Amino acid sequence: ISYDRTGFPLLFLPELALEVQLLPVTKAQFERFLADTGAVDDAGYGAMLALNPRVTPAEFSADRREGLFATGVLPEEALAFAEWAGEGFRLPTLEEWRKLYLELALSGYGSAEVAALLTPGNPRGSSLSQDAREVLTVLLADAAPCSLFRLTLLDGGVVEWVRRGNAWIGLGCPRPEFQPHLWNPLDNDVVPLRHDERVKYFGFRLVRRGGRGGEADQADAVRREEQHLVHAVERGQRRQRGSPHEATVDTDTVADRS
């Protein structure tokens, strides 16, 4: 376990040579990013909160846990967060996300190592931020003892942005009470009809290759490619909006692809 710049844990999966954020990005992390960069204006962040209101750890309950996490995020905002997070951080590819899902689901790892970080005096927990400590405390109290896979909320969390070829799609399996669905993230991807409109259950988490001394240049190249993809999507959307044949769609409607 290591830490990102916000003091939230990263898991290192040696089988994948990949570091991954333990949890989807929380509102506390996203708000720190906003305070530093102003990358999303007040109206934009207000729209995110209207879709999924903020829940502090003190207000936490199992049926409101999604309020801890940043959702309604657009792909370009997730990429800006990755750039702010530091060298090598990026959004995962579809293949990487599914591999880490399977690796953790089949591993049998427990959450005890993460819980131990909260123990007073544990030097390995000294880098945990107060925000991370509070979020982990309520999640572990709600679920413990549990598997590490369950704690990550790869299942039962939010739909997370990933890259598939030249497109942005979502993978995840939210609680049905938060978003009714029949998605299996190993078989189905979630495709927004528009990438410039916010969807309440779309969040993200970051990965990093080379965080332990290699492949940083490769990660930076992937991130540059992702930025290029965003610009290409935006150009396509502008052309579509200018077409007399543009269709009107429900902004919460998505297409599932098997």
Side-chain angles (χ1 to χ4, degrees), residues 11-14 16-20 90 96 100 207-209:
L11 301 176
F12 180 60
L13 302 179
L16 305 179
L18 201 67
E19 286 184 295
V20 58
R90 57 180 175 82
E96 287 170 336
L100 67 91
V207 299
R208 178 172 63 181
R209 285 190 183 274

Side-chain angles (χ1 to χ4, degrees), residues 37-158:
T37 67
V40 181
D41 61 20
D42 290 346
Y45 193 54
M48 291 171 60
L49 294 179
L51 292 170
N52 179 21
R54 193 180 201 281
V55 172
T56 67
E59 301 165 331
F60 175 85
S61 62
D63 61 348
R64 301 175 64 203
R65 71 182 180 206
E66 293 82 7
L68 293 171
F69 301 105
T71 65
V73 182
L74 303 178
E76 61 267 26
E77 294 164 351
L79 291 174
F81 184 98
E83 185 171 2
W84 171 83
E87 183 178 8
F89 281 106
R90 57 180 175 82
L91 295 176
T93 65
L94 177 148
E95 292 81 8
E96 287 170 336
W97 194 99
R98 284 180 170 161
K99 285 178 180 177
L100 67 91
Y101 181 102
L102 282 171
E103 171 66 21
L104 289 168
L106 299 175
S107 68
Y109 298 147
S111 59
E113 184 178 359
V114 176
L117 300 176
L118 303 175
T119 303
N122 183 346
R124 295 194 64 198
S126 61
S127 296
L128 271 180
S129 65
Q130 185 61 29
D131 286 330
R133 189 173 295 275
E134 291 175 357
V135 168
L136 287 172
T137 296
V138 298
L139 290 176
L140 285 164
D142 178 56
C146 68
S147 67
L148 184 60
F149 173 68
R150 181 178 175 189
L151 180 62
T152 64
L153 294 176
L154 286 162
D155 186 86
V158 299

Side-chain angles (χ1 to χ4, degrees), residues 157-196:
V158 299
V159 172
E160 302 179 14
W161 286 113
V162 300
R163 182 169 60 86
R164 182 186 63 192
N166 294 328
W168 294 112
I169 64 165
L171 292 177
C173 184
R175 288 187 312 121
E177 296 83 359
F178 179 64
Q179 176 59 38
H181 68 90
L182 295 174
W183 305 323
N184 178 343
L186 296 179
D187 295 324
N188 309 119
D189 43 67
V190 186
V191 184
L193 294 182
R194 293 179 60 167
H195 288 76
D196 60 348

